Amino acid sequence: MVSSSRVVSQLQTSKVDRALRVLTFFTRSSSRVVEEEELMMPMYYRTLTRLQTTNKLLANSSKARFLATRPPKNILQRRWCSNTGRRFAATSHSMRGAAMNQPSSLSQALLQINSTDRSKSSFLTREELANAKRVVIKLGSAVVTREDGQGLALGRLAAIIEQVSEIQNSGAECILVTSGAVAFGKQKLSQELLMSMSMRETLSSVDRTSELKSIAHNELKRPNAAVGQSGLMALYEAMFRNYGILVGQVLVTKQDFSNENTKEQLFNTIRELMALNIIPVINTNDAVSPPPQDGDLNDGSLNITDNDSLACNIAVDVNADLAILMSDVEGIYDRPPKEEGAQLLHYFNPKTINSIKFGQKSNYGTGGMESKVKSAGFALVNGCNVVICNGMKYNTIRNIMAGHNVGTMFTPLEMEGKSVEIIAKNARTGSRKLCSLAPEERADIIRYLANSLIQHESDIMNANQQDMYNARALGVTGPMYDRLALSKGKLESLCSGLMQIADTSYNNVGKVVRKSKISDTLEVVQKTVPIGVLMVIFESRPDALPQVASLAIASANGLLMKGGKEANNSNNILMRLVKEALGRYGCADAISLVSGRDEVADLLKLDQYIDLIIPRGSNEMVRSIKERSKSIPVLGHADGICHVYLDKDCDTEKAVKIVVDAKTDYPAACNAMETLLVHESLIENETFYQVCQALKRAKVQIYSGPRLAETLTFGPPKAEKLSMEYGDLACTIEIVSDMDAAIDHIHKYGSSHTEVIVTEDEESAEKFLSRVDSACVFHNASSRFADGYRLGLGAEVGISTGRIHARGPVGVEGLLTTKWVLSGTDDTAAEYSQGKKTFTHIQLPV
């Protein structure tokens, strides 16, 4: 603690001397109530503003010791926050790491902020933006201004303030660079001019209202700025106060940046405000000096031409991690957004700026897209990421901080390849090319791919071994690791399945389903056609890639595939073989492999190009895709909870054989048995005992259902729930009183995937098969037969438990739809309505 006498000896002015005497007493009197502390705070601000620069302040050891006694930043925040603000800060704490909220003294905070490391590297991907600890947010004129330009968009502004407060209260630091003073001033000044009209002018037959509004809006820019600045700041103060946050206004002009002394004072003020947990609200002082329009880069610095360049300049000088430039455009396009074929760029490297064609600037602000790109490029070079986005949309800032694909992120990454929209377009075009090929040509593509799997076995296995090694290093275990492995046997099985698909592909596309003679001159035919473009997302299993690709080729569908990153090497070499096979007929773009969450998120929005999504993987992944796909149908299943029911009339030997195979043949598969239902009469004979012993010998962990747990005193541990998908060598065993109870159990806890009955009673079997409402229902056969290859489909793109379009293992037929082809002479609807021609509607053989 610094004594009063030592502080007095270091200070130069009597005002600062008196202030620090009070402050020293304040810091030593810990018993003071909060109200007294708050009364002292304004005097502390006045004292702090008298200290010229952060460096000079901290160079003085006595003052440094004094500042070290100041409460930590977070303590100051808690003193000033309202109850609402404290609650809000607590709930949003998860947005940032706990390290950001570690207490530190005010002097340490100033030192940290002042240590500007220009050599720091910027983030590379959106997922890293959540780690941003200092964020500059620029609100463009179009964002804060109403569409008519005559006032502020208060609702939109309030939503933005809430998001900024969320970041600030989570422990990060925000700086606001805002427009809107002129717009606010226009609204106030036009009202004032109308009110100042004399009675004679008001009663005059000549209406001067429009004239006065035009003068206020177009000819009084500086007065508008002067009038609007105070009102705009008052609005910000009121809005931020709801979240327990103080703001400080900083008006700047270009001259503040050209003069080194003024610039130093400016940024010291900004840093001190941040150290005090106050959000600096920065605006150009248009009432004094509107910014010039020369935006060239000079000597590694950026001229201040608009609020975009202002925000990026400030972001660099305060060593910010992220600058968000909000305007009325979605981001950067490769050409003006209104031009046909314009593509939004979600990532942008300034090195490719020559590939962009810029359009006109916004109707509201002083900048344009070209200015934004130059400013953002300057910030990126100096280690600060920039996101250009549409601030007119809800939750924009939250979505950016959460890593969502919003706007255009500036990154130093070298962007390679095509955008996902172009890839999807190419898949649509490729589908039409495949459809135009003869059936023999499509079959030849599949056979070529099948043979390539055997010919390149060594390369495929080497790539797969690398994936397995990487997976082990990353701690991947269980079903996902098991599905990742390829083997010579798997490749041979794949080759056989693909040959089967090729052999049965000749009548897939163009097959006549229905043929009718409508009248003497009209005939209609219903034919099979491809759905269009499929998107298949699968985890871990690289063998799914050639299977799905072959089914798409056989059905003439375009295909986009997203494989798991754990199988990256295997997927890449398999995709190369697919492209090679397609390229022989000029259809290489019909099938593509995409990677990254951002690309998948973008693809889920492209309902104009993608017709069906088929996810294959974990329950979490499938559910996530179903939830996120708002406009594209999803075909698949989330759970694979399959049951085997042992009826009272089952054969013991058959029961043992089927149950063990259903559980142990491939425990990670979605068609593996997860629950064994046993008729209560079997508990007292050898069947139950032999089945349990066989499962134990196969090292299957058994869990008991509620009834079994009550029956057996020292039985297996109780299952967590009856709708459990283990995906491993484990299963639940439960007792049921009869077949009706078994069916009820399946309908209540099952996932409509695959159910099995083991019985010698044909009547009971038929009843079970007809009443169980699942995609696959078997009698005296393992659940593992619920597979496209085993059921004669060659392969499957997945198993659907839905009720629309396709159900069960989905092969080629599930990837086809139909179209109607009508042939006539000169038929018109009027002829039939007037009775000149009559309908016959005769079904013809197909």
Side-chain angles (χ1 to χ4, degrees), residues 468-691:
M468 299 287 286
Y469 174 82
N470 294 340
R472 287 192 298 270
L474 293 173
V476 177
T477 57
M480 181 170 285
Y481 183 81
D482 296 338
R483 292 173 181 148
L484 180 60
L486 290 176
S487 64
K488 182 178 180 179
K490 270 193 177 182
L491 292 180
E492 291 175 350
S493 178
L494 269 176
C495 178
S496 176
L498 267 55
M499 288 296 186
Q500 187 178 353
I501 294 173
D503 293 340
T504 58
S505 67
Y506 294 98
N507 296 320
N508 293 334
V509 180
K511 180 182 178 180
V512 176
V513 178
R514 178 190 178 100
K515 191 175 183 180
S516 302
K517 189 175 182 64
I518 295 179
S519 70
D520 293 337
T521 56
L522 276 178
E523 187 174 295
V524 67
V525 174
Q526 185 183 15
K527 293 182 177 181
T528 58
V529 294
I531 289 176
V533 176
L534 313 174
M535 179 179 172
V536 178
I537 305 169
F538 54 93
E539 287 180 329
S540 189
R541 293 180 53 180
D543 55 321
L545 192 150
Q547 287 180 342
V548 174
S550 298
L551 290 172
I553 295 167
S555 57
N557 281 292
L559 175 64
L560 302 173
M561 289 185 286
K562 165 64 173 72
K565 62 183 179 181
E566 63 280 348
N568 185 58
N569 295 295
S570 304
N571 289 337
N572 285 338
I573 189 169
L574 290 171
M575 191 65 216
R576 179 169 61 82
L577 299 180
V578 172
K579 290 278 190 183
E580 184 179 310
L582 288 166
R584 296 166 64 245
Y585 289 91
C587 302
D589 284 343
I591 299 179
S592 294
L593 185 68
V594 299
S595 60
R597 294 181 182 178
D598 288 348
E599 291 187 348
V600 173
D602 289 342
L603 289 168
L604 293 176
K605 302 173 185 175
L606 298 180
D607 57 323
Q608 70 271 39
Y609 302 120
I610 300 173
D611 302 293
L612 182 66
I613 298 173
I614 306 174
R616 298 181 61 175
S618 66
N619 300 345
E620 293 77 13
M621 187 270 282
V622 176
R623 288 196 185 97
S624 173
I625 295 299
K626 286 184 174 182
E627 291 171 1
R628 292 160 61 194
S629 180
K630 304 300 183 184
S631 54
I632 306 174
V634 178
L635 181 72
H637 69 281
D639 298 307
I641 304 172
C642 303
H643 297 76
V644 174
Y645 167 58
L646 302 184
D647 187 48
K648 61 183 177 63
D649 297 314
C650 72
D651 178 89
T652 300
E653 186 177 345
K654 291 180 181 179
V656 171
K657 184 178 178 182
I658 290 171
V659 168
V660 171
D661 180 83
K663 180 69 262 186
T664 65
D665 180 65
Y666 191 1
C670 63
N671 57 12
M673 180 193 76
E674 302 294 354
T675 299
L676 175 63
L677 300 176
V678 182
H679 192 281
E680 61 184 7
S681 65
L682 301 179
I683 298 298
E684 299 177 357
N685 62 31
E686 287 295 307
T687 301
F688 177 73
Y689 174 77
Q690 290 189 29
V691 169

Side-chain angles (χ1 to χ4, degrees), residues 181-201:
V182 173
F184 200 11
K186 285 180 182 180
Q187 183 182 24
K188 296 172 68 175
L189 201 56
S190 60
Q191 294 171 352
E192 184 64 27
L193 288 175
L194 290 175
M195 293 297 294
S196 64
M197 290 173 59
S198 66
M199 182 64 71
R200 186 186 301 276
E201 290 174 319

Side-chain angles (χ1 to χ4, degrees), residues 57 211 283 485 499 590 592-593 595 677 687 763 783 793 831 833:
L57 177 67
E211 178 188 355
N283 194 5
M499 288 296 186
S592 294
L593 185 68
S595 60
L677 300 176
T687 301
E763 185 178 345
S783 61
L793 304 179
E831 292 175 315
S833 62

Side-chain angles (χ1 to χ4, degrees), residues 635 671 753-754 775-776 778 785-791 793 795-801 806-814:
L635 181 72
N671 57 12
H753 194 293
T754 301
C776 299
F778 300 159
F785 282 97
D787 173 81
Y789 174 70
R790 295 188 175 103
L791 295 182
L793 304 179
E796 65 187 33
V797 293
I799 294 181
S800 172
T801 56
R807 202 171 188 211
V810 181
V812 172
E813 290 184 0

